[in-house]
Amino acid sequence: MCALIIAARADGYELLKVYRLQPGRSDAVDDPIIIAHDASYQTRAYRSFQFVSFSARPGAVHVLFSSEHGPARDLLLAVAGRVRPVEGSLSVCGVELARTGASSRRRRPSWIPTRDPLPRGIAGIGVFERVAEVAGTLTVAEAVQHEARLRMRGGRALRADNAAADAANSTGSVAASAASDKQDVSPSDDVLSYLAHFGLATASEQRVERLDAQTRARLSLALACVGAPRVALVDLTDPFVAGLSSADAVALAQAAQRYAEMRGIAVLVATSEVQAACAAPETTPLDMAAAESLDAFRAVEKVMA
């Protein structure tokens, strides 16, 4: 199904044709693995996301649409267990991540780092400024190999996942991720096979510092999916992908949807681009401005349909 996207310009409106993403097949959809109900996060000097409610299922992309960078980033980090909501509920794979009750808030302020309550390997994150950065001197393949070693130690998982992916192509499910040894003279077949899922195989030997915004965004997605997590988190509002166009944001969401369907994982993408938000199977606006923008786009789609 097609969707007509209208981008505001100084000289009027520009029509862009994009393809609306389709949720995974019904046989691939399971119960939600992320459930938020009135989740909020703030400190004494800073207010972030407020009263957010949504659910995300494996096999699909869920977009968190925000007019501001901070709330979207914080909510992704909350799902990863790096930030603790101070009100409401946020459950990931059955693990409650929110701080509930006044007594718990008095014992430790929400901004003080705590031990990650999520089991290792549940959540994978892409590039986040000051949290999970990638060295510009690394090549794309080296960045993925390095991330895989941090998460899984060695390249066995990547080889196993790629083998499972080949076998699963005929059954509708997939497995892929992890890494091989960085000390190879050239990227291994395992790494190249993994990068190909994200359109990065031909960029495997390019240094990160030389990548354009579109390729950086795809690298962030690939890093989030390393190690076959249950949940992959990608921030398209991060400075790492500054300059990403609306069309490229939509293309990234499409690539994320394809991989989510193949691997059966939930992918959360934070964006401030209404085009990407409208193209996703599920979208949650995080503030009033984002909600109004989303409603306006959907109203236009109805008129143009």
Side-chain angles (χ1 to χ4, degrees), residues 15 32 37 39 58 74 76 99 101 109 141 145 152 171 177 183 226-227 248 256:
L15 291 180
H37 180 68
D74 290 343
L76 289 181
R99 296 179 183 277
Q145 291 167 332
M152 308 195 77
T171 65
S177 226
Q183 298 180 6
V226 164
D248 288 340

Side-chain angles (χ1 to χ4, degrees), residues 230-289:
R230 298 288 305 281
V231 178
L233 310 169
V234 183
D235 186 6
L236 295 187
T237 70
D238 193 88
F240 181 72
V241 296
L244 188 70
S245 69
S246 298
D248 288 340
V250 171
L252 187 283
Q254 292 172 333
Q257 177 63 31
R258 288 192 296 270
Y259 191 78
E261 288 181 352
M262 287 192 303
R263 189 64 184 89
I265 66 175
V267 180
L268 261 59
V269 177
T271 184
S272 57
E273 290 290 344
V274 69
Q275 290 90 335
C278 286
E282 298 179 339
T283 299
T284 298
L286 301 185
D287 55 73
M288 186 61 68

Side-chain angles (χ1 to χ4, degrees), residues 86-206:
V86 297
E87 294 180 0
S89 173
L90 176 61
S91 172
V92 178
C93 294
V95 178
E96 177 57 55
L97 302 179
R99 296 179 183 277
T100 56
S103 60
S104 69
R105 291 198 294 273
R106 283 198 299 269
R107 286 197 299 270
R108 184 188 294 267
S110 62
W111 48 266
I112 294 180
T114 60
R115 178 175 296 179
D116 188 351
L118 284 178
R120 183 179 179 87
I122 292 294
I125 65 175
V127 178
F128 283 72
E129 187 180 34
R130 299 189 306 276
V131 174
E133 299 183 325
V134 59
T137 55
L138 294 178
T139 66
V140 168
E142 288 170 349
V144 170
Q145 291 167 332
H146 176 69
E147 185 68 20
R149 283 198 305 279
L150 290 177
R151 296 188 191 182
M152 308 195 77
R153 298 193 178 256
R156 291 188 300 274
L158 182 60
R159 288 189 286 273
D161 282 352
N162 282 335
D166 292 339
N169 282 337
S170 61
T171 65
S173 61
V174 130
S177 226
S180 63
D181 197 338
K182 175 185 174 181
Q183 298 180 6
D184 292 343
V185 175
S186 60
S188 71
D189 291 341
D190 297 320
V191 174
L192 291 177
S193 178
Y194 177 73
L195 292 175
H197 289 297
F198 309 97
L200 290 172
T202 57
S204 62
E205 298 189 54
Q206 295 183 29

